Structure formats: structure tokens, C-alpha cells
Amino acid sequence: MEVLECPLLSVNVRVWRFWSFVLVHNWRRYVSIIPVTVLNVFMFADLYRAWGNIEEVIINAYFAVLYFNAVVSDAAKPPIFDYAQCLRTLILVYQRQKYEVFLANAANVYQEIRQIKDDDVIGKLVEDYTRRARILSISNLALGAFISGCFVVYPLFTGQRSLPYGMFIPGVSNFESPQYEIFYIMQLVLTFPGCCMYIPYTSFFATSTLFGLVQIKTLQHQLRMFRSTGSNLGRRTPSLDRQLTKFIEDHKRIIRYVQDLNGLVTYICLIEFLSFGLMLCALLFLLNIISVMAQIVIVGAYIFMILTQIFAFYWHSNEVREESMAIATAAYSGPWLEVDNSIKKKLLLITMRAQRPLELTVGNVYPMTLEMFQSLLNASYSYFTLLRRVYN
């Protein structure tokens, strides 16, 4: 199956393909990456210029980190802040062959699972997770476009000249005509490719972990059904041997899948762990010192975006970890005492390997679990209280 025909993965891949980040190579890649990267540089320059004005620095730093993460994530390995969008894109483009191989293999496995016949449970499982992945990807794009649109039009209602994203060009006045109109239109136009560079990577992570869950739950179900079949067949048969050998190969394939996915996303997760933890602390502090309702709403939206972004990563990673260990329970269930010793040994191997959880990690160091997510929130809040006490 071609990856563009795989309904579970195709939404995000089609966006990437349109901008020629993967599968094709044309002018759209440079039209999107180069202007956004240049804008990101000017945003960091503005941070340096505004240093000392804490409200302006925090807001502009949020967008600087966001764009940095988006650009660098699609092509190279990490530097830090509006560089978020840049980061994601650069890593994606730089490692596009690895991503293409990963996506192609995933599409083939998806087709293999979908072709399993005479099993309504697996068919419903694939259908439910495919629908969930597509809804997640489409809703992320829609929500990202809506919130980005709100950010862009917000300056029009402030009663004074301001740009959606702070930027500083030495020797140029941003707020005099016609520079102001040119810069505003430029940022308005670049918001769309910036959104397409950032949002699909988040959805790619989520849908890839969902497909990992499809593979894990399929293996769990087959092991349970194998047990019931084995109890009817009694002792060792060539059919039992073939089935169990296939299950062991499927388990090894799942292990490779999670390891490959971790290799693609682990350093992006490290950058987001560091940058968004700091920005969450800073935005909470900003929320504590501002009094204008419009600013409170905007900062609240920023905090909501950060929390949903990080929670999506850690929730799905935690699900993969927990379900991978449940394979041992599935292998152990049923009347396995009645089968041949060679079958028991193979089941024991599956059970022992499944007790080592499959994990997605932050920088190949810490597993991405809900406990880790809670620790991140606790650390951000602790630094926030310390910062507030020092400021007061």
C-alpha cells in the first residue's frame, strides 16, 4: 500500500507532500522554509532588543520558540525558541529518507492487518483507530488554523500599530508606512505555512503511536484467540507452531516499529520538554502580572496550546508503554497447560520480552509517561512560584 493511500497516516503526509517536505522535492519546500527561518531570526533579534520589558519578551519568546521548533523539527538537530516550527521542518527534511521508509513500512503493515479475514474484532479495531487518527489530524489542523488566524488579527483590535509576531530589523522602523503594512501582510501570509510546518508533526507523532497501539492490540487479541484455539487442538501441531512463530515475528516487528519511531522523535521531544517547560513557567508568571482582559485571554490560549501539545505526546506514549506490557498478560491467558512444551517455551519468551516495556523517550534518557508529564508540570509551577516571589 502507498502511504498516501493509508487512511490512518495520509492526512499529515499529504500536507508534508504538498510542501515537498517528503516524497517530492520542488520549489514549495524553499518558499516555506526560507522565509519562515528569516522571520524567526528577526524574532530572536527582537527578543534581544526588548530585553528588560518582561511582558513583551515573554509573548515574543513564545512565538519565537514555536516557530523555531516547527522549522527545525522538519530538518536537522536541535537549537531553541519561534525556532520550534523551523526545528521540526528542518529535521524532517534532513531525515526525509528515514521518514519515508518508516511511513512506507507502516503503510504496508497497516494493509497486512486490514487484510486479516474472519475476525470482526480486528476489523473493528482498525476502523476505530483509523477514524480516531483522522479526526485527530483534521481537528488539529482546523484548530491550529483557527488559533493562528486569531493571533494574526488580534493586533487590528488593539487600537495601535503592532505586529502579530515581534520582529526587529536594524535600521528599519516597523511601524511606519509602508513598512508596517508590508511586514503585517508578510506575517499574515507566513502564518499558513508556519502552521503547516508545526501542526502535522504533532499529528504525525499521535497517529504513529495510535498505529503502534493497533499493532499491539492486534497481537494481544491473536494471542488470546490462539490460546482458545490451542485448548481445542490439544497438543503440538504444525498449525500451532506456525501461528506462534508468526506471533513472535509480529512482536519483533512491533519492537522495531517503536524503536524506529523513537529514533525519529526523541530529540524533538527533548527540545519541546525544555522549551515548553520554560515557556509554561514564563506564561504563568505573565498571567500573574497583567491586568488587561484581552491579554489574559490571549495568554490563557497560549497556556492551553502548550498543555494540549505536551499532553498529547505523553498520553499516547504512555498508552504504548502500558499496552506493550499487557502483551505478557495476553500470552499468559488461557489453558496453556494443555499444549506441548515447545509451545510453552515460545509463549514464555513472548511473556518475558513483553515485561520490558516499549518506550518513547525524551532525548533517549527519560520515558515519556504521564508521571513524567506530571513532573514537568510540577517543575514549571515550582519555578513560577520562585519567579513570582523574586519579582514581588
Side-chain angles (χ1 to χ4, degrees):
M1 171 183 284
E2 294 290 336
V3 64
L4 293 175
E5 298 173 359
C6 178
L8 190 144
L9 302 169
S10 61
V11 174
N12 307 304
V13 177
R14 288 182 184 278
V15 175
W16 282 346
R17 185 179 183 276
F18 175 81
W19 292 105
S20 78
F21 299 148
V22 295
L23 302 180
V24 296
H25 183 185
N26 59 39
W27 56 271
R28 290 194 185 96
R29 176 183 301 177
Y30 305 103
V31 166
S32 59
I33 294 177
I34 294 176
V36 172
T37 303
V38 172
L39 173 62
N40 200 198
V41 172
F42 291 149
M43 292 170 75
F44 276 99
D46 188 61
L47 289 181
Y48 178 78
R49 178 200 59 80
W51 199 259
N53 184 339
I54 190 165
E55 295 184 22
E56 186 177 356
V57 166
I58 291 176
I59 290 294
N60 291 341
Y62 172 77
F63 284 111
V65 173
L66 200 64
Y67 271 87
F68 173 76
N69 189 6
V71 174
V72 178
S73 292
D74 290 11
K77 287 192 179 178
I80 257 187
F81 270 69
D82 176 34
Y83 283 123
Q85 296 179 24
C86 302
L87 178 65
R88 294 185 169 196
T89 306
L90 295 177
I91 290 179
L92 175 61
V93 173
Y94 182 76
Q95 298 183 334
R96 64 186 179 279
Q97 292 183 341
K98 292 183 179 179
Y99 279 87
E100 290 170 1
V101 170
F102 175 84
L103 291 168
N105 291 337
N108 290 332
V109 174
Y110 179 87
Q111 178 70 2
E112 178 185 331
I113 294 175
R114 207 167 63 165
Q115 287 177 343
I116 297 176
K117 298 179 180 178
D118 303 324
D119 197 321
D120 294 337
V121 173
I122 294 178
K124 188 175 186 303
L125 176 71
V126 173
E127 180 183 346
D128 289 346
Y129 274 84
T130 299
R131 181 170 60 250
R132 179 176 165 184
R134 291 184 65 83
I135 291 174
L136 179 66
S137 298
I138 295 172
S139 60
N140 276 351
L141 283 172
L143 181 62
F146 173 75
I147 294 178
S148 297
C150 292
F151 290 159
V152 169
V153 301
Y154 171 75
L156 299 178
F157 300 93
T158 60
Q160 58 185 1
R161 287 194 168 188
S162 61
L163 293 170
Y165 317 122
M167 57 182 289
F168 173 68
I169 304 175
V172 177
S173 176
N174 293 349
F175 304 110
E176 294 181 1
S177 297
Q179 296 96 301
Y180 173 73
E181 289 78 6
I182 293 172
F183 291 152
Y184 188 93
I185 293 174
M186 178 192 71
Q187 293 191 1
L188 175 66
V189 172
L190 291 180
T191 296
F192 176 67
C195 180
C196 292
M197 293 163 71
Y198 186 80
I199 299 297
Y201 199 96
T202 301
S203 299
F204 161 76
F205 181 94
T207 54
S208 296
T209 52
L210 286 175
F211 183 53
L213 290 172
V214 169
Q215 298 179 68
I216 292 170
K217 288 180 175 291
T218 298
L219 179 58
Q220 291 174 1
H221 172 70
Q222 289 177 324
L223 283 168
R224 295 189 188 101
M225 294 302 295
F226 167 79
R227 295 307 327 122
S228 63
T229 302
S231 64
N232 293 331
L233 292 176
R235 295 190 176 276
R236 178 180 182 180
T237 66
S239 176
L240 280 175
D241 273 338
R242 285 194 299 271
Q243 286 185 57
L244 198 52
T245 300
K246 178 65 167 60
F247 297 156
I248 292 174
E249 291 299 322
D250 288 347
H251 193 198
K252 291 166 63 179
R253 183 198 67 212
I254 293 170
I255 294 170
R256 288 194 302 271
Y257 176 87
V258 175
Q259 290 174 342
D260 290 344
L261 178 59
N262 183 67
L264 294 175
V265 304
T266 184
Y267 293 108
I268 299 302
C269 294
L270 175 61
I271 290 298
E272 301 211 344
F273 175 83
L274 297 174
S275 61
F276 285 127
L278 293 173
M279 287 311 303
L280 180 60
C281 168
L283 289 172
L284 286 172
F285 174 73
L286 182 60
L287 194 63
N288 188 63
I289 63 175
I290 59 178
S291 57
V292 179
M293 180 55 64
Q295 291 180 330
I296 293 175
V297 171
I298 290 295
V299 172
Y302 297 161
I303 294 173
F304 175 76
M305 285 184 65
I306 288 177
L307 291 177
T308 53
Q309 162 89 13
I310 299 176
F311 182 74
F313 275 53
Y314 284 80
W315 169 267
H316 290 98
S317 300
N318 188 76
E319 285 294 293
V320 169
R321 185 180 190 277
E322 296 299 320
E323 291 297 335
S324 70
M325 291 190 292
I327 292 176
T329 304
Y332 184 76
S333 63
W336 52 269
L337 287 173
E338 301 176 9
V339 298
D340 186 81
N341 284 337
S342 64
I343 302 296
K344 293 177 184 177
K345 290 178 181 178
K346 291 179 180 178
L347 286 170
L348 182 61
L349 287 174
I350 294 176
T351 303
M352 292 176 63
R353 179 58 185 88
Q355 290 174 349
R356 291 167 50 197
L358 302 179
E359 294 177 331
L360 298 169
T361 60
V362 176
N364 284 325
V365 179
Y366 299 109
M368 296 179 67
T369 62
L370 291 180
E371 289 80 6
M372 187 67 178
F373 175 71
Q374 182 181 8
S375 298
L376 175 62
L377 295 184
N378 290 341
S380 297
Y381 187 77
S382 297
Y383 286 120
F384 155 67
T385 56
L386 177 63
L387 184 62
R388 182 178 60 177
R389 181 174 301 175
V390 171
Y391 180 80
N392 289 337

